[in-house]
Amino acid sequence: ETGYMVLYEPIWDGNLEIIDYLIQHGADVNLTNTRKETALIYAVQAGELEVAQRLIEAGAIVSAKDEGWCDALWYARRCMPRRSKEECHIRQQMITLLKQYRQR
């Protein structure tokens, strides 16, 4: 299997080394799970900014929507934690990143 399920655990753990390895060896960053969530949507849900950046650089489609027609930016705006100043800062950086690439 090359794609979403292979990337699932390292995304949640924020393990860039494994993510880079998997991408270099053919993991498809645009495969989806049964709810049509992409690896990028999952990275946003996990609050993993650097992972999201890596996935975008590897060709992740920023505007891809899940089965509820929600994209990564929607999740960043509505679902990322913001309990602390650090979480708020990461959330804002994620939104900025996604908006930047969504317009391309």
Side-chain angles (χ1 to χ4, degrees), residues 53-91:
Q53 175 74 47
R54 217 52 140 264
L55 293 170
I56 291 168
E57 290 169 357
I61 300 170
V62 176
S63 61
K65 293 178 173 45
D66 65 11
E67 67 182 6
W69 290 94
C70 301
D71 64 7
L73 183 57
W74 185 91
Y75 280 101
R77 287 180 172 152
R78 288 167 183 80
C79 299
M80 283 187 67
R82 45 187 177 242
R83 293 177 296 266
S84 68
K85 285 184 181 182
E86 181 181 0
E87 286 177 341
C88 288
H89 181 69
I90 291 169
R91 177 179 171 268

